[in-house]
Every structure is written in structure tokens, then in C-alpha cells.
Coordinates of all heavy atoms in Angstrom, one line a residue:
M223 N 15.9 -6.4 -2.3 CA 16.0 -7.1 -3.6 C 14.6 -7.0 -4.2 O 13.6 -7.4 -3.6 CB 16.4 -8.5 -3.5 CG 16.8 -9.2 -4.7 SD 17.3 -10.9 -4.5 CE 15.9 -11.7 -3.9
T224 N 14.5 -6.5 -5.4 CA 13.1 -6.4 -6.1 C 12.7 -7.8 -6.5 O 13.5 -8.7 -6.8 CB 13.2 -5.5 -7.3 OG1 14.2 -5.9 -8.2 CG2 13.4 -4.0 -6.8
L225 N 11.4 -7.9 -6.6 CA 10.7 -9.2 -6.9 C 10.6 -9.4 -8.4 O 10.5 -8.4 -9.2 CB 9.3 -9.3 -6.3 CG 9.3 -9.3 -4.8 CD1 7.8 -9.0 -4.3 CD2 9.7 -10.6 -4.3
E226 N 10.7 -10.6 -8.9 CA 10.5 -10.9 -10.3 C 9.0 -10.8 -10.7 O 8.2 -10.9 -9.8 CB 11.1 -12.2 -10.7 CG 12.6 -12.3 -10.3 CD 13.3 -13.4 -10.9 OE1 12.7 -14.3 -11.4 OE2 14.6 -13.4 -10.8
E227 N 8.8 -10.7 -12.0 CA 7.4 -10.5 -12.5 C 6.5 -11.6 -12.0 O 5.4 -11.4 -11.5 CB 7.4 -10.5 -14.0 CG 7.9 -9.2 -14.6 CD 7.1 -8.0 -14.1 OE1 5.8 -8.0 -14.3 OE2 7.7 -7.0 -13.6
G228 N 6.9 -12.9 -12.1 CA 6.1 -14.0 -11.7 C 5.7 -13.9 -10.2 O 4.6 -14.2 -9.8
A229 N 6.7 -13.6 -9.4 CA 6.4 -13.5 -7.9 C 5.5 -12.3 -7.7 O 4.6 -12.5 -6.8 CB 7.8 -13.2 -7.2
I230 N 5.6 -11.2 -8.4 CA 4.7 -10.1 -8.2 C 3.3 -10.5 -8.5 O 2.4 -10.2 -7.7 CB 5.2 -8.9 -9.0 CG1 6.5 -8.3 -8.5 CG2 4.1 -7.8 -9.1 CD1 7.1 -7.2 -9.4
N231 N 3.1 -11.1 -9.6 CA 1.8 -11.5 -10.0 C 1.1 -12.5 -9.1 O -0.1 -12.4 -8.8 CB 1.8 -12.1 -11.5 CG 2.1 -11.0 -12.5 OD1 1.7 -9.8 -12.2 ND2 2.8 -11.3 -13.5
S232 N 1.9 -13.5 -8.5 CA 1.3 -14.4 -7.6 C 1.0 -13.8 -6.3 O 0.0 -14.1 -5.7 CB 2.1 -15.7 -7.5 OG 3.3 -15.4 -6.8
K233 N 1.9 -12.9 -5.8 CA 1.6 -12.2 -4.5 C 0.4 -11.3 -4.6 O -0.3 -11.1 -3.6 CB 2.9 -11.5 -4.1 CG 4.0 -12.4 -3.6 CD 5.2 -11.6 -3.3 CE 6.3 -12.6 -2.8 NZ 6.0 -13.2 -1.5
L234 N 0.3 -10.7 -5.8 CA -0.9 -9.8 -6.0 C -2.2 -10.5 -5.8 O -3.2 -10.0 -5.2 CB -0.8 -9.2 -7.4 CG -1.5 -8.0 -7.8 CD1 -1.2 -6.8 -6.8 CD2 -1.0 -7.5 -9.2
Q235 N -2.2 -11.8 -6.1 CA -3.5 -12.6 -6.0 C -3.8 -12.9 -4.5 O -4.9 -13.2 -4.2 CB -3.3 -13.9 -6.7 CG -2.8 -13.7 -8.2 CD -3.7 -14.5 -9.1 OE1 -4.5 -15.3 -8.8 NE2 -3.5 -14.3 -10.4
E236 N -2.8 -12.8 -3.7 CA -3.0 -13.0 -2.2 C -3.5 -11.8 -1.5 O -4.0 -11.9 -0.4 CB -1.7 -13.4 -1.6 CG -1.1 -14.7 -2.0 CD 0.3 -14.9 -1.5 OE1 0.8 -14.2 -0.7 OE2 1.0 -15.8 -2.1
L237 N -3.5 -10.7 -2.2 CA -4.0 -9.4 -1.6 C -5.5 -9.3 -1.7 O -6.1 -9.9 -2.6 CB -3.3 -8.2 -2.2 CG -1.8 -8.2 -2.0 CD1 -1.2 -6.9 -2.7 CD2 -1.4 -8.3 -0.6
G238 N -6.1 -8.4 -0.9 CA -7.5 -8.2 -0.9 C -7.9 -7.5 -2.2 O -7.0 -7.1 -3.0
T239 N -9.2 -7.4 -2.4 CA -9.7 -6.7 -3.7 C -9.2 -5.3 -3.8 O -9.1 -4.6 -2.8 CB -11.2 -6.8 -3.8 OG1 -11.7 -6.2 -2.6 CG2 -11.7 -8.2 -3.9
G240 N -9.0 -4.8 -5.0 CA -8.7 -3.4 -5.2 C -7.3 -3.1 -5.4 O -7.0 -2.0 -6.0
W241 N -6.4 -3.9 -5.0 CA -4.9 -3.6 -5.2 C -4.6 -3.8 -6.7 O -5.0 -4.7 -7.3 CB -4.0 -4.6 -4.4 CG -4.0 -4.3 -2.9 CD1 -4.7 -5.0 -2.0 CD2 -3.3 -3.3 -2.2 NE1 -4.4 -4.4 -0.7 CE2 -3.6 -3.4 -0.9 CE3 -2.4 -2.3 -2.7 CZ2 -3.0 -2.5 0.1 CZ3 -1.9 -1.4 -1.7 CH2 -2.1 -1.6 -0.4
Q242 N -3.9 -2.8 -7.2 CA -3.5 -2.8 -8.6 C -2.0 -2.7 -8.6 O -1.4 -2.0 -7.8 CB -4.1 -1.7 -9.4 CG -5.6 -1.8 -9.5 CD -6.2 -0.7 -10.3 OE1 -5.7 0.5 -10.2 NE2 -7.3 -0.9 -11.0
R243 N -1.4 -3.3 -9.6 CA 0.0 -3.1 -9.8 C 0.2 -2.1 -11.0 O -0.3 -2.3 -12.1 CB 0.7 -4.4 -10.1 CG 2.2 -4.4 -10.2 CD 2.7 -4.1 -11.6 NE 4.1 -4.1 -11.7 CZ 4.8 -5.1 -12.1 NH1 4.3 -6.2 -12.6 NH2 6.2 -5.0 -12.2
Q244 N 0.9 -1.0 -10.7 CA 1.3 -0.1 -11.8 C 2.8 0.1 -11.8 O 3.3 0.8 -11.0 CB 0.5 1.2 -11.7 CG -0.9 1.2 -12.3 CD -1.6 2.6 -12.1 OE1 -0.9 3.6 -12.1 NE2 -2.9 2.5 -12.1
G245 N 3.4 -0.6 -12.7 CA 4.9 -0.4 -12.8 C 5.6 -0.8 -11.5 O 5.5 -2.0 -11.0
K246 N 6.2 0.2 -10.9 CA 7.0 -0.1 -9.7 C 6.1 0.1 -8.4 O 6.7 0.1 -7.3 CB 8.2 0.8 -9.6 CG 9.2 0.5 -10.7 CD 10.4 1.4 -10.7 CE 11.4 0.9 -11.8 NZ 12.6 1.7 -11.8
H247 N 4.8 0.2 -8.5 CA 4.0 0.5 -7.4 C 2.8 -0.5 -7.3 O 2.3 -1.0 -8.3 CB 3.3 1.9 -7.5 CG 4.3 3.0 -7.3 ND1 5.0 3.5 -8.4 CD2 4.6 3.7 -6.2 CE1 5.8 4.5 -7.9 NE2 5.6 4.6 -6.6
L248 N 2.4 -0.7 -6.0 CA 1.1 -1.3 -5.7 C 0.2 -0.2 -5.3 O 0.7 0.7 -4.5 CB 1.2 -2.3 -4.5 CG 2.0 -3.6 -4.7 CD1 1.9 -4.4 -3.4 CD2 1.3 -4.4 -5.8
I249 N -1.0 -0.1 -5.8 CA -1.9 1.0 -5.6 C -3.2 0.5 -5.1 O -3.8 -0.5 -5.6 CB -2.1 1.8 -6.8 CG1 -0.7 2.3 -7.3 CG2 -3.0 3.0 -6.6 CD1 -0.7 3.2 -8.6
L250 N -3.7 1.2 -4.0 CA -5.1 0.9 -3.5 C -5.8 2.2 -3.4 O -5.3 3.2 -2.8 CB -5.0 0.2 -2.1 CG -6.3 0.0 -1.5 CD1 -7.1 -1.2 -2.2 CD2 -6.1 -0.4 0.0
R251 N -6.9 2.3 -4.1 CA -7.7 3.5 -4.0 C -9.0 3.2 -3.2 O -9.9 2.6 -3.7 CB -8.1 4.0 -5.4 CG -6.9 4.4 -6.3 CD -7.4 4.9 -7.6 NE -6.2 5.5 -8.4 CZ -5.4 4.7 -9.1 NH1 -5.6 3.4 -9.3 NH2 -4.4 5.3 -9.8
E252 N -8.9 3.7 -1.9 CA -10.1 3.4 -1.0 C -11.0 4.7 -1.0 O -10.5 5.8 -1.1 CB -9.6 3.2 0.4 CG -9.0 1.8 0.6 CD -10.1 0.8 0.8 OE1 -10.5 0.5 1.9 OE2 -10.5 0.2 -0.2
T253 N -12.2 4.4 -1.0 CA -13.2 5.6 -0.9 C -14.0 5.5 0.3 O -14.2 4.5 0.9 CB -14.1 5.6 -2.2 OG1 -14.8 4.3 -2.2 CG2 -13.4 5.7 -3.5
F254 N -14.4 6.7 0.8 CA -15.1 6.9 2.0 C -16.2 7.9 1.8 O -16.2 8.6 0.8 CB -14.1 7.4 3.1 CG -13.0 6.5 3.3 CD1 -11.8 6.7 2.6 CD2 -13.0 5.5 4.2 CE1 -10.7 5.9 2.7 CE2 -11.9 4.6 4.4 CZ -10.8 4.8 3.6
G255 N -17.1 8.1 2.8 CA -18.2 9.0 2.6 C -17.9 10.4 3.1 O -18.7 11.3 2.9
N256 N -16.7 10.6 3.5 CA -16.3 12.0 4.0 C -14.8 12.1 4.2 O -14.1 11.1 4.0 CB -17.0 12.3 5.3 CG -16.7 11.2 6.4 OD1 -15.6 10.9 6.7 ND2 -17.8 10.6 6.9
F257 N -14.3 13.2 4.5 CA -12.9 13.5 4.6 C -12.3 12.9 5.9 O -11.2 12.3 5.9 CB -12.6 15.0 4.6 CG -11.2 15.4 4.7 CD1 -10.4 15.2 3.5 CD2 -10.6 16.0 5.8 CE1 -9.0 15.6 3.6 CE2 -9.3 16.3 5.8 CZ -8.5 16.1 4.7
V258 N -13.1 12.9 7.0 CA -12.7 12.4 8.3 C -12.3 10.9 8.2 O -11.3 10.5 8.7 CB -13.7 12.7 9.4 CG1 -13.4 12.0 10.7 CG2 -13.9 14.2 9.6
D259 N -13.2 10.1 7.6 CA -12.9 8.7 7.5 C -11.7 8.4 6.6 O -10.9 7.5 6.9 CB -14.1 8.0 6.9 CG -15.3 7.9 7.9 OD1 -15.0 8.2 9.1 OD2 -16.4 7.6 7.5
A260 N -11.5 9.2 5.6 CA -10.3 9.0 4.7 C -9.0 9.3 5.6 O -8.0 8.6 5.5 CB -10.3 10.0 3.5
M261 N -9.1 10.4 6.4 CA -7.9 10.7 7.2 C -7.7 9.6 8.3 O -6.6 9.3 8.6 CB -8.2 12.0 8.0 CG -7.9 13.3 7.1 SD -6.2 13.4 6.6 CE -5.3 13.5 8.1
A262 N -8.8 9.1 8.8 CA -8.7 8.1 9.9 C -8.0 6.8 9.3 O -7.2 6.2 10.0 CB -10.1 7.7 10.4
F263 N -8.4 6.5 8.0 CA -7.7 5.3 7.4 C -6.2 5.6 7.3 O -5.4 4.7 7.6 CB -8.4 5.1 6.0 CG -7.8 3.9 5.3 CD1 -7.9 2.7 5.8 CD2 -7.2 4.1 4.0 CE1 -7.4 1.6 5.1 CE2 -6.7 3.0 3.3 CZ -6.8 1.8 3.9
A264 N -5.8 6.8 6.9 CA -4.4 7.1 6.8 C -3.7 7.0 8.1 O -2.6 6.5 8.3 CB -4.2 8.5 6.2
Q265 N -4.4 7.5 9.1 CA -3.8 7.4 10.5 C -3.7 6.0 11.0 O -2.8 5.7 11.7 CB -4.7 8.2 11.5 CG -4.8 9.7 11.2 CD -3.5 10.4 11.8 OE1 -2.6 9.8 12.2 NE2 -3.6 11.7 11.8
A266 N -4.7 5.2 10.6 CA -4.6 3.7 11.0 C -3.4 3.0 10.4 O -2.9 2.0 10.9 CB -5.9 3.0 10.7
I267 N -3.0 3.5 9.2 CA -1.9 2.9 8.5 C -0.5 3.3 9.2 O 0.4 2.5 9.2 CB -1.8 3.3 7.0 CG1 -3.0 2.7 6.3 CG2 -0.5 3.0 6.4 CD1 -3.2 3.2 4.9
T268 N -0.5 4.4 9.9 CA 0.7 5.0 10.5 C 1.4 4.0 11.4 O 2.6 3.7 11.2 CB 0.4 6.3 11.3 OG1 -0.2 7.2 10.4 CG2 1.7 6.9 11.8
P269 N 0.8 3.3 12.4 CA 1.5 2.4 13.2 C 2.0 1.2 12.5 O 3.1 0.6 12.9 CB 0.5 2.1 14.3 CG -0.8 2.4 13.8 CD -0.6 3.5 12.8
L270 N 1.3 0.8 11.5 CA 1.7 -0.4 10.7 C 3.0 -0.1 10.0 O 4.0 -0.9 10.0 CB 0.6 -0.8 9.7 CG -0.8 -1.0 10.2 CD1 -1.7 -1.3 9.0 CD2 -0.8 -2.1 11.2
A271 N 3.1 1.1 9.4 CA 4.2 1.5 8.7 C 5.4 1.7 9.6 O 6.6 1.3 9.3 CB 4.0 2.8 7.9
E272 N 5.2 2.3 10.8 CA 6.3 2.5 11.7 C 6.8 1.1 12.2 O 8.0 0.9 12.4 CB 5.8 3.3 12.9 CG 5.6 4.8 12.5 CD 7.0 5.4 12.2 OE1 7.8 5.5 13.1 OE2 7.3 5.8 11.1
D273 N 5.9 0.2 12.5 CA 6.3 -1.1 13.0 C 7.2 -1.8 12.0 O 8.1 -2.5 12.3 CB 5.0 -2.0 13.2 CG 4.3 -1.7 14.5 OD1 4.9 -0.9 15.3 OD2 3.2 -2.2 14.7
Q274 N 6.8 -1.6 10.7 CA 7.5 -2.4 9.6 C 8.7 -1.6 9.1 O 9.5 -2.1 8.3 CB 6.6 -2.7 8.5 CG 5.5 -3.7 9.0 CD 4.6 -4.1 7.8 OE1 4.9 -4.0 6.7 NE2 3.4 -4.7 8.2
G275 N 8.8 -0.3 9.5 CA 9.9 0.5 9.0 C 9.8 0.7 7.5 O 10.8 0.8 6.8
H276 N 8.6 0.7 7.0 CA 8.3 0.8 5.6 C 7.1 1.7 5.4 O 6.1 1.4 6.1 CB 8.1 -0.6 5.0 CG 8.2 -0.7 3.5 ND1 9.3 -0.4 2.9 CD2 7.2 -0.9 2.6 CE1 9.1 -0.5 1.6 NE2 7.8 -0.8 1.4
H277 N 7.1 2.7 4.6 CA 6.1 3.7 4.6 C 5.5 4.0 3.2 O 6.2 4.1 2.2 CB 6.8 5.0 5.1 CG 7.5 4.8 6.4 ND1 8.8 4.4 6.5 CD2 7.0 5.0 7.7 CE1 9.1 4.3 7.8 NE2 8.0 4.6 8.5
P278 N 4.2 4.0 3.2 CA 3.5 4.2 1.9 C 3.5 5.7 1.6 O 3.6 6.6 2.4 CB 2.1 3.8 2.2 CG 1.9 4.1 3.7 CD 3.2 3.8 4.3
D279 N 3.3 6.0 0.3 CA 3.0 7.4 -0.1 C 1.4 7.4 -0.1 O 0.8 6.5 -0.6 CB 3.4 7.7 -1.5 CG 5.0 7.7 -1.6 OD1 5.6 8.0 -0.6 OD2 5.5 7.4 -2.7
L280 N 0.9 8.4 0.6 CA -0.6 8.5 0.8 C -1.1 9.8 0.1 O -0.5 10.8 0.3 CB -0.9 8.5 2.3 CG -0.5 7.2 3.1 CD1 -0.8 7.5 4.5 CD2 -1.3 6.0 2.6
E281 N -2.2 9.6 -0.6 CA -2.8 10.8 -1.1 C -4.2 10.9 -0.6 O -5.0 9.9 -0.9 CB -2.8 10.8 -2.7 CG -3.3 12.1 -3.3 CD -3.4 11.9 -4.8 OE1 -2.3 11.6 -5.4 OE2 -4.5 12.1 -5.3
I282 N -4.5 11.9 0.1 CA -5.8 12.0 0.8 C -6.6 13.2 0.2 O -6.1 14.3 0.0 CB -5.7 12.2 2.3 CG1 -4.9 11.0 2.9 CG2 -7.0 12.4 3.0 CD1 -4.2 11.3 4.2
G283 N -7.9 12.9 -0.1 CA -8.8 14.0 -0.5 C -10.1 13.8 0.1 O -10.3 12.8 0.9
W284 N -11.1 14.5 -0.2 CA -12.5 14.3 0.3 C -12.9 12.9 -0.2 O -13.0 12.6 -1.4 CB -13.5 15.4 -0.2 CG -14.8 15.2 0.5 CD1 -15.2 15.9 1.6 CD2 -15.8 14.3 0.2 NE1 -16.4 15.5 2.0 CE2 -16.9 14.5 1.1 CE3 -16.0 13.3 -0.8 CZ2 -18.1 13.8 1.1 CZ3 -17.2 12.6 -0.8 CH2 -18.2 12.8 0.2
G285 N -13.2 12.1 0.8 CA -13.8 10.8 0.5 C -12.8 9.8 -0.2 O -13.2 8.7 -0.7
R286 N -11.5 10.1 -0.1 CA -10.6 9.1 -0.7 C -9.2 9.1 -0.1 O -8.7 10.1 0.4 CB -10.5 9.3 -2.2 CG -9.8 10.7 -2.6 CD -9.8 10.9 -4.1 NE -9.5 12.3 -4.3 CZ -8.3 12.8 -4.3 NH1 -7.2 12.0 -4.1 NH2 -8.1 14.1 -4.5
C287 N -8.6 7.9 0.0 CA -7.2 7.8 0.4 C -6.6 6.8 -0.6 O -7.0 5.6 -0.7 CB -7.2 7.3 1.8 SG -5.4 7.0 2.4
T288 N -5.6 7.3 -1.3 CA -4.9 6.4 -2.2 C -3.6 6.0 -1.6 O -2.8 6.9 -1.1 CB -4.6 7.1 -3.6 OG1 -5.9 7.4 -4.1 CG2 -3.9 6.2 -4.5
V289 N -3.3 4.7 -1.6 CA -2.1 4.2 -1.0 C -1.2 3.7 -2.1 O -1.6 2.9 -2.9 CB -2.4 2.9 -0.1 CG1 -1.2 2.4 0.6 CG2 -3.5 3.3 1.0
L290 N 0.0 4.2 -2.1 CA 1.0 3.8 -3.1 C 2.2 3.1 -2.4 O 2.8 3.7 -1.5 CB 1.5 5.0 -3.9 CG 0.5 5.7 -4.8 CD1 0.1 7.0 -4.1 CD2 1.0 5.9 -6.1
L291 N 2.5 1.9 -2.7 CA 3.6 1.2 -2.1 C 4.7 0.9 -3.1 O 4.4 0.4 -4.2 CB 3.1 -0.1 -1.5 CG 2.1 -0.1 -0.4 CD1 1.6 -1.5 0.0 CD2 2.6 0.7 0.8
T292 N 5.9 1.2 -2.8 CA 7.1 0.8 -3.5 C 8.2 0.8 -2.5 O 8.1 1.5 -1.5 CB 7.3 1.7 -4.7 OG1 8.3 1.1 -5.6 CG2 7.8 3.1 -4.3
T293 N 9.3 0.2 -2.9 CA 10.5 0.3 -2.0 C 11.5 1.2 -2.7 O 12.2 0.8 -3.6 CB 11.1 -1.1 -1.8 OG1 10.1 -2.0 -1.2 CG2 12.3 -1.1 -0.9
H294 N 11.5 2.4 -2.2 CA 12.3 3.5 -2.8 C 13.8 3.0 -2.8 O 14.5 3.3 -3.7 CB 12.2 4.8 -2.0 CG 10.7 5.3 -2.0 ND1 9.9 5.1 -1.0 CD2 10.0 5.9 -3.0 CE1 8.7 5.7 -1.3 NE2 8.8 6.1 -2.5
D295 N 14.2 2.4 -1.7 CA 15.7 2.1 -1.5 C 16.1 1.1 -2.6 O 17.3 1.1 -3.0 CB 15.9 1.4 -0.2 CG 15.8 2.4 1.0 OD1 15.8 3.6 0.7 OD2 15.6 2.0 2.1
D296 N 15.2 0.3 -3.1 CA 15.6 -0.8 -4.1 C 15.1 -0.5 -5.5 O 15.4 -1.2 -6.4 CB 15.0 -2.1 -3.6 CG 15.7 -2.6 -2.4 OD1 16.7 -2.0 -1.9 OD2 15.3 -3.7 -1.8
G297 N 14.3 0.6 -5.6 CA 13.8 1.0 -6.9 C 12.7 0.1 -7.5 O 12.7 -0.1 -8.7
G298 N 11.9 -0.5 -6.7 CA 10.8 -1.3 -7.2 C 10.1 -2.1 -6.1 O 10.2 -1.7 -4.9
L299 N 9.3 -3.1 -6.5 CA 8.5 -3.8 -5.5 C 9.3 -4.9 -4.9 O 10.0 -5.7 -5.5 CB 7.3 -4.4 -6.2 CG 6.2 -3.4 -6.7 CD1 5.2 -4.1 -7.6 CD2 5.5 -2.8 -5.4
T300 N 9.2 -5.0 -3.5 CA 9.9 -6.0 -2.7 C 8.8 -6.7 -1.8 O 7.7 -6.2 -1.7 CB 11.0 -5.4 -1.9 OG1 10.4 -4.5 -0.9 CG2 12.0 -4.6 -2.7
E301 N 9.3 -7.7 -1.1 CA 8.5 -8.3 -0.1 C 7.9 -7.3 0.9 O 6.8 -7.5 1.4 CB 9.4 -9.3 0.7 CG 9.8 -10.6 0.0 CD 8.7 -11.6 0.0 OE1 7.6 -11.4 0.6 OE2 8.9 -12.6 -0.7
K302 N 8.7 -6.3 1.2 CA 8.2 -5.3 2.2 C 6.9 -4.6 1.8 O 6.0 -4.4 2.6 CB 9.3 -4.2 2.3 CG 10.5 -4.6 3.0 CD 11.5 -3.5 3.1 CE 12.9 -3.9 3.7 NZ 13.8 -2.8 3.7
D303 N 6.7 -4.4 0.5 CA 5.5 -3.8 0.0 C 4.3 -4.7 0.1 O 3.2 -4.3 0.5 CB 5.7 -3.4 -1.5 CG 6.8 -2.4 -1.7 OD1 6.8 -1.3 -1.1 OD2 7.8 -2.7 -2.4
F304 N 4.5 -6.0 -0.1 CA 3.4 -7.0 0.0 C 3.1 -7.2 1.5 O 2.0 -7.4 1.9 CB 3.8 -8.2 -0.7 CG 3.6 -8.1 -2.2 CD1 4.7 -7.7 -3.0 CD2 2.4 -8.3 -2.8 CE1 4.5 -7.5 -4.4 CE2 2.2 -8.1 -4.2 CZ 3.3 -7.7 -5.0
T305 N 4.1 -7.2 2.4 CA 3.9 -7.4 3.8 C 3.1 -6.2 4.3 O 2.1 -6.4 5.1 CB 5.2 -7.5 4.6 OG1 6.0 -8.6 4.0 CG2 5.0 -7.7 6.0
L306 N 3.4 -5.0 3.9 CA 2.6 -3.8 4.4 C 1.2 -3.9 3.8 O 0.2 -3.6 4.5 CB 3.3 -2.5 4.0 CG 2.7 -1.2 4.5 CD1 2.4 -1.3 6.0 CD2 3.6 0.0 4.2
A307 N 1.1 -4.3 2.5 CA -0.2 -4.3 1.9 C -1.1 -5.3 2.6 O -2.3 -5.0 2.9 CB -0.1 -4.8 0.4
K308 N -0.6 -6.4 3.1 CA -1.4 -7.4 3.8 C -1.8 -6.8 5.1 O -3.0 -7.1 5.6 CB -0.6 -8.7 4.0 CG -0.6 -9.6 2.8 CD 0.1 -10.9 3.0 CE 0.1 -11.7 1.8 NZ 0.9 -13.0 1.9
A309 N -1.0 -6.1 5.8 CA -1.3 -5.5 7.1 C -2.4 -4.5 6.9 O -3.3 -4.3 7.7 CB -0.1 -4.9 7.7
I310 N -2.3 -3.7 5.8 CA -3.4 -2.7 5.5 C -4.7 -3.4 5.2 O -5.7 -3.0 5.6 CB -2.9 -1.8 4.3 CG1 -1.7 -0.9 4.7 CG2 -4.1 -1.0 3.8 CD1 -1.0 -0.2 3.6
D311 N -4.6 -4.5 4.5 CA -5.9 -5.3 4.3 C -6.6 -5.7 5.6 O -7.8 -5.7 5.6 CB -5.5 -6.6 3.5 CG -5.4 -6.4 2.0 OD1 -5.9 -5.3 1.5 OD2 -4.9 -7.3 1.3
R312 N -5.8 -5.9 6.6 CA -6.4 -6.3 7.9 C -7.2 -5.2 8.6 O -8.0 -5.5 9.5 CB -5.4 -7.0 8.8 CG -4.9 -8.3 8.3 CD -4.1 -9.1 9.4 NE -2.8 -8.6 9.5 CZ -1.7 -9.0 8.8 NH1 -1.9 -10.0 7.9 NH2 -0.5 -8.5 9.0
I313 N -6.9 -4.0 8.2 CA -7.6 -2.8 8.8 C -8.6 -2.2 7.9 O -9.2 -1.1 8.2 CB -6.6 -1.8 9.4 CG1 -5.7 -1.2 8.2 CG2 -5.7 -2.3 10.5 CD1 -5.3 0.2 8.5
R314 N -8.9 -2.8 6.7 CA -9.8 -2.2 5.8 C -11.2 -2.5 6.2 O -11.5 -3.5 6.8 CB -9.6 -2.7 4.4 CG -8.3 -2.2 3.7 CD -8.0 -2.9 2.5 NE -8.9 -2.7 1.4 CZ -8.9 -3.4 0.2 NH1 -8.0 -4.3 0.0 NH2 -9.7 -3.0 -0.7
Ligands
H2B134 C1 16.3 4.4 6.6 C2 15.0 3.8 6.4 O1 14.8 2.7 7.1 C3 14.7 3.6 5.0 O2 14.9 4.8 4.3 C4 13.3 3.1 4.7 C5 12.2 3.9 5.4 N1 10.9 3.6 4.8 C6 10.8 3.2 3.5 N2 9.6 3.1 2.9 C7 9.5 2.8 1.6 N3 8.3 2.7 1.0 N4 10.6 2.6 0.9 C8 11.8 2.6 1.4 O3 12.8 2.4 0.7 C9 11.9 3.0 2.8 N5 13.1 3.0 3.3

């Protein structure tokens, strides 16, 4: 079940700095000093996603890893996206 606007805005405030809401996505653009660290960040997210059965779209380039969260099955933002975002915050 997708979250209502008010719930999305209040949950967004509970997340770490840098998370942005764009339409049906939560987005985090992390930067690094090299490609290896960007890849390592993506790899560190892997077990969190597997544990939660919820998977981000990741875009990796030199010095950057962009995390996009949405619940494809429901067509928008759900609790699952915020739960994964919080877990990602703990490994930043
Ligand atoms: C069958 C499987 O559990 C589902 O397709 C899950 C897997 N991971 C998922 N991840 C995300 N981000 N959205 C989903 O709707 C989703 N669905």
C-alpha cells in the first residue's frame, strides 16, 4: 500500500541528510573519491536488500553511487522504501 503525502513528508524527515523525494522515488546521491568505494557502497547495500526482500535501483559511476527506492509492485513509495533507506543510513 503506497503512503500518503503527509506520511511521506514526515518519514523523509526521519532519514539521514541527502535523501530527496522525487515523485515515486526516494533518491540518495552518494559521492566517493574513486570507483572502488562507490562499488563497495553498492555491495554493502546488497545484504540489506536481500534481508528485506526489497531492492534499490543503483547507478554507479566513478566516485558516485545513486540509490533509487520505490516499490515497483505497488507503483509508489511504501514503508518498505523507508525501512531500506534507514538501513542504508546505518552503513553510510
Ligand atoms: C517477488 C519479489 O518479492 C518482489 O518482486 C519484490 C522484490 N524486490 C522489490 N524491490 C522493489 N524495490 N520493489 C518491489 O516491488 C520489489 N518486489
Side-chain angles (χ1 to χ4, degrees):
M223 192 178 67
T224 55
L225 295 165
E226 301 195 349
E227 286 301 306
I230 289 170
N231 290 328
S232 69
K233 286 174 181 295
L234 201 48
Q235 309 229 352
E236 295 168 13
L237 299 181
T239 54
W241 286 102
Q242 295 179 327
R243 187 273 181 99
Q244 274 182 27
K246 295 180 175 183
H247 290 85
L248 291 180
I249 301 178
L250 178 70
R251 293 183 174 87
E252 283 283 269
T253 58
F254 304 90
N256 54 58
F257 185 70
V258 171
D259 288 347
M261 279 299 297
F263 181 61
Q265 293 282 10
I267 291 173
T268 304
L270 309 178
E272 285 294 293
D273 283 351
Q274 295 184 18
H276 196 64
H277 305 86
D279 294 332
L280 298 172
E281 187 185 303
I282 300 158
W284 189 97
R286 64 185 167 81
C287 179
T288 300
V289 180
L290 297 105
L291 297 178
T292 191
T293 302
H294 301 101
D295 293 343
D296 293 352
L299 288 168
T300 67
E301 288 280 356
K302 292 178 183 178
D303 299 302
F304 284 92
T305 301
L306 184 53
K308 282 186 181 173
I310 291 170
D311 277 343
R312 289 194 283 273
I313 60 150
R314 287 168 72 189

